Amino acid sequence: MNNAASQALRLSVSLGSGARPRLSLEGDGKRAVALARRRLVLAASLYACAFLLLGARVVEIAASGGAPPMAPSASATEHPSQRADIVDRHGALLATNLPTASLYANPGRVLDPDEAAEALAAVLPHLDVETLRAKLGGQRSFVWLDRGLSPTQVAAVNALGLPGLAFVDEERRVYPQGPLLAHVLGFTDIDNRGIAGIERVYDGALRGRARSGAGALALSLDVRAQQILREELAHAVAEFAAVGAAGLVMDPSTGEILALVSLPDFDPNRPAAASDEARFNRATLGVYEMGSIFKVFTTAMALDYGVAGLSSGYDATDPIRIARYTISDDHPKARWLSVPEVFIYSSNIGAAKMALDVGADRQRAFLKKLGLLSAPAVDLPEVGAPMVPATWGDITTMTVAFGHGVAVSPLLVATAFAAVVNGGVLMPPTLLARTGARPAGTRVMQAATSDAMRALLRLAVVAGTGKGANVAGYAVGGKTGTAEKAGATGYRRDALLSSFIAAFPMDAP
């Protein structure tokens, strides 16, 4: 070994009794090893600092809800708006989703809030400049600027090249049929949460179906029947200068609602533009004294209890005077009337006497059995409870017989009427398409009573007050009704609620 090598590396060996040889470095070798050790310690310290910084950042992000400053919160990006389509009983599309974008900002990265606000207002003129300026100049790390932008609007904002702005993909609920089914479908809010109609009742189910891929929610409605019903009601409103109208079509054998319309209506694509009057569902939420169509239930009640038969009769010669009330007929015959005549000529006097023969307790029990004294269980949140008198004496018994004294919704009347004509079975109403076997329902009257009532309803259209519904080939049976509206000082003879309830064909409604 030469002299340089000996200076670079020297080994020192020491031996002791019973000890292993001990080696040590001396000179330059010792210094080189020490330098390498210091470098390793420094590198390890740097790596440790880096991991500590990363760990601290992870903790910070977790504590703030998992969102970096430029990203919207988890609630904004997880797409809670995902919901299944809604279709009618034949698959016609009633509600669906369209992709859209929403604009947000991180004010900390906006260079000039004033300039950015003015530029955005120029391409999105529905936004207020001062509101934008306040948002963009704020201290928050995330603010919404606009929701539901079209592709054209997105392109216009992107063309501005403003730092600190970004988009998040969302969905917008749309209703291709416009106002046609507004009161049934309802609508959603900006975050696609259902807040009215079917959208609200089945909000969770619609989200679940979208997640599971179960497909569209099928309603019992037939969009063709819905269109015809709406056109006819709109025509009646225009012809008679009515303040509103409501109607529905139901399958009496299943309880499925095939059409349901309330006018005035609104566009569910723009619910904020609708008035309270337009959003009010007269078919299910409104309750009214329905007038003479209640004679359907009065007559069925008398027949079912055996109090009267088709050959029975009542004296309708003179009006009934009780306390301060007088009950008279609109089209008096001023003679004895058979039960069929009481029905087809719509005699208030005959119906009142028929109800008195039944009695208040049994009358109330029969109406309760038909579901007319409680709110219906139907797939809508907008449901009105009946207005029922606190005391039920003879006067109430007589006035309820011809549709005064109890206020009910058109849906309740239709559901009870369906039981009268379908063989006597009350079917719960539904807006969902029924699949499988027909539900059992609840028997509320004898089948023979239903048979007799179908014959009387047909007779009322052929020879009674419902002649306008006697359409060739359809065997329509029905009952008209007219009720004076209640005012601050009593009933108003100049303000009427006109109604008609019918079924066809009467041999198999």
Side-chain angles (χ1 to χ4, degrees):
M1 183 179 295
N2 59 33
N3 206 28
S6 67
Q7 290 296 323
L9 179 60
R10 290 184 183 173
L11 295 177
S12 176
V13 181
S14 63
L15 296 174
S17 176
R20 293 182 179 178
R22 189 171 59 223
L23 302 179
S24 64
L25 293 175
E26 296 180 358
D28 293 341
K30 184 175 182 178
R31 288 190 294 274
V33 171
L35 179 62
R37 184 181 292 114
R38 286 195 296 272
R39 288 175 176 172
L40 287 172
V41 171
L42 178 62
S45 299
L46 291 174
Y47 277 113
C49 289
F51 280 112
L52 285 173
L53 288 173
L54 288 173
R57 183 59 176 149
V58 168
V59 172
E60 177 187 352
I61 291 172
S64 65
M70 265 303 294
S73 64
S75 63
T77 57
E78 66 182 2
H79 295 298
S81 59
Q82 291 286 343
R83 56 199 300 117
D85 291 346
I86 302 175
V87 298
D88 83 340
R89 64 188 304 110
H90 301 297
L93 187 63
L94 308 181
T96 190
N97 304 314
L98 286 181
T100 186
S102 292
L103 177 64
Y104 66 93
N106 179 356
R109 297 186 181 182
V110 176
L111 301 180
D112 188 333
D114 295 336
E115 180 184 350
E118 293 176 1
L120 280 172
V123 297
L124 302 174
H126 59 281
L127 298 181
D128 178 67
V129 175
E130 293 304 320
T131 302
L132 286 172
R133 185 177 287 116
K135 288 183 176 181
L136 295 174
Q139 300 301 314
R140 299 171 60 186
S141 61
F142 171 81
V143 290
W144 284 118
L145 299 181
D146 202 4
R147 307 288 293 273
L149 275 67
S150 68
T152 301
Q153 291 172 318
V154 171
V157 173
N158 279 328
L160 297 175
L162 297 172
L165 307 185
F167 294 95
V168 62
D169 292 332
E170 293 188 308
E171 287 184 344
R172 177 186 174 193
R173 196 66 161 172
V174 295
Y175 304 93
Q177 307 291 339
L180 181 60
L181 302 114
H183 290 98
V184 174
L185 297 176
F187 49 89
T188 62
D189 63 11
I190 189 67
D191 292 314
N192 260 4
R193 292 186 293 260
I195 57 176
I198 288 287
E199 294 279 27
R200 177 177 174 181
V201 171
Y202 291 107
D203 183 70
L206 289 165
R207 295 178 188 279
R209 295 178 78 89
R211 286 193 298 268
S212 66
L217 180 70
L219 301 187
S220 59
L221 297 176
D222 185 327
V223 73
R224 301 167 300 179
Q226 183 82 4
Q227 180 67 45
I228 294 169
L229 178 59
R230 185 174 184 270
E231 288 177 357
E232 290 302 319
L233 289 177
H235 176 74
V237 168
E239 182 177 358
F240 298 104
V243 297
L248 62 97
V249 179
M250 177 184 286
D251 183 342
S253 65
T254 64
E256 291 174 293
I257 298 171
L258 306 181
L260 188 151
V261 176
S262 175
L263 297 178
D265 53 20
F266 63 96
D267 186 352
N269 295 297
R270 300 171 56 245
S275 65
D276 291 341
E277 181 79 0
R279 285 198 295 264
F280 187 80
N281 188 343
R282 286 170 161 79
T284 63
L285 184 56
V287 294
Y288 314 96
E289 293 185 342
M290 300 298 293
S292 290
I293 61 176
F294 249 63
K295 290 169 186 168
V296 171
F297 311 125
T298 299
T299 307
M301 170 182 69
L303 294 176
D304 205 58
Y305 282 134
V307 169
L310 294 180
S311 60
S312 303
Y314 291 91
D315 185 4
T317 305
D318 298 311
I320 300 172
R321 291 178 174 83
I322 180 170
R324 60 188 179 89
Y325 300 98
T326 299
I327 298 173
S328 57
D329 289 342
D330 288 334
H331 307 286
K333 300 298 180 182
R335 60 177 175 82
W336 274 78
L337 299 175
S338 66
V339 166
E341 287 178 321
V342 167
F343 189 78
I344 66 174
Y345 298 142
S346 198
S347 171
N348 294 337
I349 300 169
K353 291 183 175 181
M354 195 182 303
L356 278 179
D357 283 352
V358 172
D361 291 342
R362 288 199 296 180
Q363 180 192 46
R364 185 165 187 162
F366 189 80
L367 296 180
K368 182 179 180 180
K369 188 165 56 172
L370 286 175
L372 288 164
L373 303 184
S374 58
V378 71
D379 321 81
L380 290 177
E382 299 83 15
V383 174
M387 296 176 64
V388 180
T391 58
W392 203 296
D394 286 348
I395 294 176
T396 298
T397 299
M398 288 189 285
T399 58
V400 168
F402 52 86
H404 280 277
V406 171
V408 296
S409 68
L411 174 62
L412 274 182
V413 174
T415 303
F417 182 80
V420 172
V421 300
N422 73 2
V425 178
L426 185 69
M427 305 297 298
T430 182
L431 283 161
L432 293 186
R434 293 200 190 276
T435 57
R438 168 184 168 176
T442 303
R443 177 159 293 282
V444 292
M445 69 184 68
Q446 303 170 61
T449 302
S450 178
D451 292 342
M453 288 306 304
R454 287 203 301 272
L456 291 178
L457 288 161
R458 178 61 180 152
L459 193 60
V461 168
V462 173
T465 57
K467 290 179 181 178
N470 193 20
V471 181
Y474 285 92
V476 177
K479 183 74 185 74
T480 57
T482 303
E484 296 174 1
K485 294 182 182 179
T489 59
Y491 288 101
R492 300 168 52 198
R493 298 191 64 84
D494 62 339
L496 303 177
L497 185 144
S498 300
S499 55
F500 184 64
I501 191 161
F504 65 91
M506 292 314 293
D507 58 339

